[in-house]
């Protein structure tokens, strides 16, 4: 059974640009969550999607958005990139809403220059 | 507001000895707690969990203890092995809500 797949693995963008990250959950999983990991901050929750609807949202500015498709695949978009957005972005999937075991992808390392 | 805190950024332990990683939380509504392990360049992987109705859960070398009155949980690894060297994240949740993670503790097991 394939795990959670995130693409691309690495990305370099310039300040002011926008970026779209993709996440394919484990087959059959309906919940997808996104996290930002920076040194010393742990995993900061961005948002969670379940059945194409955003169910939970973290404390990030509106520049961060996401969506989920009918096949449970999810995309995350960051507009008007800032240097501080440089981080590892992790996607996690689970069968139901994200209150139990979640399976993580390898992440997308975003560098904003 | 850091609802889940891992106050030790790093821990160094000799191979074969016990590793104890600690985690404190502030939200008394949390009813499920998890530990994840993360190697560099990989996503976190689930290690062990515990429901708030229990105070201990064991899986091989890994045991998680929950002290609800102190809002504290700990992960014990016995015996520690060099392959256990990784970042360990504590996480908590309540029904229908997101997982809240701590900042992580870097464990180094020396051979």
């Amino acid at each position: 059974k394939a795990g959670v797949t995130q693409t691309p693995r690495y990305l370099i963008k310039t300040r002011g640009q926008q970026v779209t990250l993709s996440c394919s959950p484990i087959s059959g999983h309906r919940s997808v969550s996104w996290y930002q990991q920076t040194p010393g901050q742990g995993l900061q929750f961005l948002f969670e999607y379940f059945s194409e609807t955003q169910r939970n949202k973290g404390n990030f500015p509106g520049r961060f958005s996401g969506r989920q498709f009918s096949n449970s695949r999810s995309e995350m978009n960051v507009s008007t990139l800032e240097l501080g957005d440089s981080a590892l972005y992790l996607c996690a999937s689970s069968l139901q809403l994200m209150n139990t075991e979640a399976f993580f992808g390898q992440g997308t390392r975003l560098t904003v220059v | 507001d850091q609802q889940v805190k891992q106050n030790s950024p790093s821990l160094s332990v000799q191979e074969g000895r016990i590793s104890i990683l600690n985690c404190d939380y502030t939200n008394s509504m949390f009813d499920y707690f998890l530990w994840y392990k993360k190697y560099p360049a990989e996503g976190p992987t689930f290690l062990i969990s515990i429901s708030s109705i229990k105070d201990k859960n064991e899986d091989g070398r890994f045991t998680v203890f929950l002290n609800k009155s102190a809002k504290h949980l700990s992960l014990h690894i016995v015996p520690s092995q060099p392959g256990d060297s990784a970042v360990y994240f504590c996480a908590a949740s309540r029904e229908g809500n997101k997982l809240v993670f701590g900042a992580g503790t870097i464990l180094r097991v020396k051979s």
Side-chain angles (χ1 to χ4, degrees):
Chain A
K1 191 170 178 180
V4 178
T5 304
Q6 289 188 247
T7 56
R9 288 292 311 279
Y10 301 93
L11 207 48
I12 299 176
K13 289 285 189 178
T14 306
R15 269 183 303 175
Q17 286 187 310
Q18 75 161 17
V19 67
T20 299
L21 312 182
S22 179
C23 173
S24 293
I26 291 172
S27 177
H29 284 195
R30 297 167 64 192
S31 172
V32 173
S33 288
W34 289 89
Y35 291 84
Q36 180 194 67
Q37 186 191 3
T38 52
Q41 294 295 313
L43 279 70
Q44 301 292 311
F45 175 77
L46 281 152
F47 26 67
E48 178 182 14
Y49 286 87
F50 183 82
S51 295
E52 301 178 66
T53 303
Q54 188 179 91
R55 300 300 180 106
N56 285 299
K57 190 176 188 304
N59 298 321
F60 277 81
R63 300 185 296 107
F64 292 81
S65 63
R67 59 178 175 168
Q68 186 180 35
F69 302 95
S70 59
N71 61 359
S72 294
R73 191 178 71 85
S74 177
E75 287 182 348
M76 189 192 96
N77 186 77
V78 188
S79 62
T80 320
L81 283 166
E82 300 176 0
L83 294 179
D85 297 333
S86 295
L88 179 67
Y89 290 88
L90 290 159
C91 164
S93 77
S94 69
L95 277 171
Q96 300 297 332
L97 282 171
M98 202 67 68
N99 61 334
T100 55
E101 183 183 344
F103 295 83
F104 283 84
Q106 289 182 291
T108 294
R109 171 72 63 185
L110 172 65
T111 302
V112 182
V113 297
Chain B
D1 176 27
Q2 279 278 65
Q3 296 187 70
V4 176
K5 296 179 184 179
Q6 293 178 255
N7 293 317
S8 298
S10 65
L11 175 67
S12 188
V13 171
Q14 198 66 38
E15 180 180 6
R17 305 295 290 269
I18 184 171
S19 295
I20 300 177
L21 296 105
N22 294 303
C23 178
D24 297 296
Y25 60 96
T26 57
N27 190 339
S28 58
M29 299 297 289
F30 286 143
D31 57 9
Y32 197 71
F33 304 88
L34 309 89
W35 284 94
Y36 282 81
K37 180 168 74 172
K38 185 180 184 300
Y39 293 118
E42 293 184 15
T45 54
F46 170 75
L47 198 54
I48 192 169
S49 64
I50 187 168
S51 163
S52 61
I53 62 172
K54 293 185 173 183
D55 54 21
K56 177 182 174 182
N57 187 27
E58 197 171 349
D59 183 3
R61 296 186 297 113
F62 303 90
T63 303
V64 56
F65 295 92
L66 176 62
N67 182 334
K68 287 188 291 293
S69 61
K71 296 193 182 68
H72 177 82
L73 67 157
S74 61
L75 174 67
H76 292 209
I77 306 173
V78 184
S80 301
Q81 299 173 355
D84 295 329
S85 297
V87 180
Y88 288 79
F89 291 99
C90 165
S93 74
R94 59 185 178 95
E95 182 63 38
N97 277 277
K98 62 183 185 290
L99 282 173
V100 180
F101 284 84
T105 296
I106 300 170
L107 173 65
R108 295 187 187 91
V109 180
K110 299 174 289 186
S111 55

